[in-house]
Amino acid sequence: MLTTVVFDADETLLDLRPAVTGGLVAVLEEMRRLTPAAAEVSLADVESDWGAVFGELSAAPVMEIRRAALTRSLARAGLEAHLDDIAALFFARRFALTRPFPDVLPALAALRRRWTLGFATNGNSRAERCGLAGEFSFELYAHENGLPKKPAPEFYAAVVAAAGAPASQVVYVGDSIEHDVRGPQRAGLRAVWLNRLGLPRPPGLVPDGEVSTVAELPQLLAALDERETAGG
């Protein structure tokens, strides 16, 4: 029997990419307003700065990684002293633009009729700032109360504890193969891969289910629940 469905945030429920791009466009416009030197800095440049710092800081809070990326972007035009103001501008625009994919809210309403819903993320997309206020029975954010990021086992243990159910009754749904499928399965949870992009399934990956939209989840989870019940 399944009791709880828990969701990843970014690129699962939330259409993050346009929001981040919008935030960086605002940053670039402000840089160019502050100094003519920023005219040589492109959107591709500031977009690449995230990847340039991510490897070394991957375990850090997402906001810290973004500030490091912005520091690198500002250094391109000698504007490092403006980091706090630029970071505030970026995050204000990023959150203002971050909203659920169109399939999300109707699917959550349908799922809630049968299962408890949770929200658990490595990122800083807080539900109440991204159009998802009041949608979940519980929310977990990495780096709050010492919670490490996925795929640390402690993250999934916290999900199970918040669900108040055995791990085998909890389904985790997300777009990341390592964080949202393999990690949860290693911790004893069920895992559904949300494959919005239609990517080929990697060799050896056996999710408990795969969907291309959140709208497919109610039917898939109902079938999975029936199999679980029959098997028990």
Side-chain angles (χ1 to χ4, degrees):
M1 178 180 70
L2 305 177
T3 63
T4 311
V5 185
V6 184
F7 291 91
D8 168 57
D10 299 333
E11 305 302 340
T12 295
L13 299 181
L14 299 170
D15 192 5
L16 180 64
R17 202 167 304 277
V20 169
T21 299
L24 292 177
V25 167
V27 165
L28 194 56
E29 290 173 349
E30 180 64 7
M31 289 173 61
R32 289 172 176 169
R33 188 188 72 80
L34 289 169
T35 176
E40 302 301 317
V41 182
S42 70
L43 180 60
D45 289 332
V46 297
E47 287 177 331
S48 72
D49 289 330
W50 172 270
V53 303
F54 183 81
E56 185 177 344
L57 297 174
S58 59
V62 171
M63 192 167 290
E64 182 178 321
I65 302 172
R66 178 55 67 187
R67 282 179 63 90
L70 290 172
T71 298
R72 184 180 173 92
S73 298
L74 293 171
R76 294 176 180 275
L79 293 172
E80 298 96 315
H82 294 268
L83 175 62
D84 288 344
D85 289 342
I86 291 291
L89 172 66
F90 170 81
F91 286 114
R93 189 66 180 147
R94 172 259 203 257
F95 280 114
L97 294 174
T98 305
R99 287 296 177 265
F101 287 102
D103 58 343
V104 168
L105 294 179
L108 294 180
L111 292 165
R112 194 180 298 109
R113 290 195 287 267
R114 182 164 178 175
W115 296 286
T116 299
L117 303 186
F119 183 81
T121 175
N122 276 356
N124 57 1
S125 290
R126 300 197 65 89
E128 73 275 8
R129 295 191 69 180
C130 299
L132 293 172
E135 293 291 330
F136 306 100
S137 296
F138 62 88
E139 299 171 21
L140 294 173
Y141 299 90
H143 295 290
E144 284 193 359
N145 301 313
L147 183 65
K149 282 183 169 181
K150 297 179 284 186
E154 295 86 352
F155 185 96
Y156 308 108
V159 169
V160 171
S168 61
Q169 295 182 7
V170 180
V171 180
Y172 198 88
V173 181
D175 67 301
S176 167
I177 290 168
E178 186 60 33
H179 291 175
D180 306 329
V181 180
R182 290 188 174 128
Q185 286 183 329
R186 284 194 294 265
L189 290 75
R190 301 290 183 257
V192 172
W193 184 29
L194 178 59
N195 184 9
R196 290 187 181 276
L197 300 178
L199 301 174
R201 188 180 295 187
L205 183 73
V206 186
D208 295 279
E210 179 180 338
V211 293
S212 60
T213 72
V214 180
E216 298 169 30
L217 273 174
Q219 183 175 356
L220 181 144
L221 292 178
L224 181 59
D225 203 3
E226 289 172 7
R227 292 200 302 269
E228 295 283 336
T229 303

